[in-house]
Amino acid sequence: MAYQIGLNIAIALVWTFLHDEWSASQLVVGYLIGMVLIWAIYRVRPDRFYMKKTLAIIYLLLLFLKELWVSSLAVVRQILRPKLNIRPGIFAMTTELETDFEITLLSCLICLTPGTLTLEVGHDGRTLYIHAMDIEDADELSRQIKSTFEKAIMEVTRA
């Protein structure tokens, strides 16, 4: 993937040299042309086109920001109530993620989201023990984490 980015930057620079005009717009046009050329080349090769992974990373970041915003509002709403109406608890969630990096990333995303905290990773390396501020249904919360964060992490880390 890194060589695809380097190649794309080189194509953008060559495009700018050939047009003898050093401007940001020429560099962007060259970069876009390079992206199209690399995409055309990598359609017939088994390697993965780097923009797919880049878009998956951007999607994961946007998903985290959305979840951060939604959960922050939920925590603020609970704090501002005159009487707390929460059901805190700990539940176990078995993940489909395999590598240490994937599991660590999921644990960090859970910890960074207000109202949830990863307490421990089980001995099998696939079970996460999570504390949540308000658990209505632990299975539903597990499904929500799996369908959002876990799915997006798999898109980023797996080809």
Side-chain angles (χ1 to χ4, degrees):
M1 184 174 107
Y3 63 90
Q4 290 180 20
I5 295 171
L7 180 62
N8 201 349
I9 291 171
I11 291 171
L13 290 173
V14 167
W15 176 266
T16 307
F17 281 135
L18 291 175
H19 279 73
D20 201 25
E21 178 186 333
W22 283 94
S23 66
S25 62
Q26 282 297 329
L27 198 58
V28 169
V29 168
Y31 193 83
L32 292 174
I33 289 171
M35 221 167 45
V36 170
L37 289 173
I38 292 171
W39 173 78
I41 292 169
Y42 281 91
R43 279 188 48 188
V44 296
R45 293 195 54 176
D47 298 347
R48 187 173 172 183
F49 180 53
Y50 81 96
M51 282 306 291
K52 286 184 181 181
K53 185 171 266 198
T54 304
L55 292 175
I57 291 170
I58 291 170
Y59 173 74
L60 178 61
L61 178 64
L62 292 175
L63 175 68
F64 170 69
L65 291 175
K66 180 195 122 235
E67 291 294 327
L68 179 68
W69 178 256
V70 169
S71 62
S72 294
L73 288 177
V75 170
V76 168
R77 191 171 36 248
Q78 289 292 341
I79 290 171
L80 293 178
R81 285 186 177 171
K83 183 178 178 189
L84 284 177
N85 185 21
I86 59 173
R87 297 167 301 266
I90 299 171
F91 66 97
M93 183 186 89
T94 304
T95 180
E96 301 297 318
L97 302 176
E98 296 169 351
T99 66
D100 289 341
F101 174 75
E102 292 173 336
I103 294 169
T104 303
L105 182 59
L106 177 62
S107 297
C108 288
L109 290 174
I110 290 170
C111 287
L112 289 172
T113 306
T116 56
L117 177 68
T118 303
L119 299 173
E120 185 177 353
V121 178
H123 294 295
D124 62 354
R126 298 183 66 140
T127 304
L128 299 175
Y129 295 96
I130 301 170
H131 177 274
M133 182 182 82
D134 191 16
I135 299 178
E136 193 169 315
D137 183 11
D139 292 331
E140 177 61 31
L141 193 53
S142 291
R143 276 192 296 278
Q144 182 184 6
I145 292 171
K146 287 177 180 248
S147 67
T148 56
F149 287 140
E150 189 173 296
K151 184 178 173 186
I153 289 171
M154 282 192 233
E155 286 292 319
V156 169
T157 58
R158 299 181 184 173

